[in-house]
Amino acid sequence: MNMRKSNALSVAVIGIMFFIFGFVTWLNGTLIPFLKISCELSNAQAYFVTFAFYISYFVMALPSSWVLHKTGFKGGMALGLAVMAVGTLVFIPAAYSRIYGLFLTGLFIQGTGLSILQTASNPYITILGPIESAARRISIMGICNKVAGVLSPLILGAIVLKNADVIKEQLGKLTNIIERESLLQEMASRVIFPYVIMAVVLILLAVLVRLSPLPD
């Protein structure tokens, strides 16, 4: 019975990891229109959001296995969460300065952490219990991922894209540079609060995973 409880707790922890995968990944769809307005980007420039995020998967594909060899699965998941938190915190100076390159740097760091996290979590869930129930556990993880994918754009969009159409219209009419910069700065600053909260959650999860009874 204790073994079953331990496995259930471990599966719940990994379920949180899969929720994080979906939540962070699907934020990109909301960031594209947000950064397009606040950093005054063209369509082509705005799509570098997804490029900067997913290119990290390509860069970290092989290094992730080396990292996990050094840290183990449990340590690798904690490290991945910590790296993601660092990338999230980069959004704070990026928002204050409205430097698009800083936003892309933060996204790349987030993707790097996420690639480590996924490399550890995906195989981990298959061996966390009887092999005959592995498919069921993977299905549950998929549900956690998709639920996060639904909630993520709704939550962030409600915060950073509130009255976005009105702001775009105002920007089109403003000729005073100071007023224009003030409005753009107000728009960019909206991302700070949700990303600070996300960074805190990621750090707490990293500590939770490190101290959890997850088997090495």
Side-chain angles (χ1 to χ4, degrees):
M1 182 64 71
N2 289 335
M3 180 64 72
R4 287 185 177 181
K5 286 183 178 179
S6 178
N7 278 349
L9 178 59
S10 298
V11 169
V13 172
I14 302 302
I16 294 173
M17 300 301 103
F18 274 80
F19 184 90
I20 294 296
F21 300 163
F23 195 89
V24 173
T25 301
W26 284 91
L27 287 177
N28 293 333
T30 306
L31 285 175
I32 290 173
F34 166 75
L35 291 175
K36 187 178 178 182
I37 298 172
S38 58
C39 294
E40 298 184 286
L41 306 174
S42 65
N43 287 331
Q45 289 174 316
Y47 285 117
F48 273 99
V49 166
T50 50
F51 177 82
F53 186 82
Y54 287 111
I55 195 65
S56 62
Y57 279 67
F58 174 77
V59 172
M60 285 301 296
L62 294 179
S64 289
S65 62
W66 179 83
V67 170
L68 293 180
H69 179 72
K70 295 292 184 181
T71 64
F73 283 104
K74 182 177 174 179
M77 284 186 279
L79 176 63
L81 288 164
V83 172
M84 289 172 66
V86 172
T88 301
L89 289 172
V90 171
F91 271 58
I92 298 173
Y96 280 121
S97 62
R98 288 199 302 115
I99 297 175
Y100 186 45
L102 267 181
F103 281 111
L104 296 183
T105 300
L107 286 166
F108 181 84
I109 297 172
Q110 281 184 16
T112 299
L114 193 57
S115 65
I116 298 172
L117 188 60
Q118 284 189 311
T119 304
S121 301
N122 284 328
Y124 195 88
I125 192 62
T126 64
I127 60 175
L128 197 62
I131 191 64
E132 59 270 15
S133 60
R136 181 169 55 189
R137 292 195 298 275
I138 293 172
S139 297
I140 293 172
M141 297 304 106
I143 292 171
C144 294
N145 187 276
K146 296 304 181 290
V147 168
V150 171
L151 295 177
S152 174
L154 293 177
I155 295 172
L156 188 67
I159 298 172
V160 303
L161 292 179
K162 184 179 180 182
N163 299 324
D165 291 335
V166 175
I167 291 175
K168 285 176 65 176
E169 187 177 342
Q170 289 176 336
L171 287 170
K173 296 177 181 178
L174 283 175
T175 55
N176 185 294
I177 296 177
I178 295 176
E179 291 181 356
R180 184 182 181 83
E181 286 296 312
S182 177
L183 186 58
L184 288 169
Q185 189 58 57
E186 186 277 327
M187 179 78 178
S189 298
R190 292 180 180 184
V191 82
I192 294 174
F193 177 73
Y195 271 75
V196 167
I197 295 298
M198 192 160 66
V200 171
V201 170
L202 289 170
I203 292 169
L204 290 176
L205 284 175
V207 174
L208 172 66
V209 169
R210 201 73 189 89
L211 299 178
S212 71
L214 287 172
D216 290 320

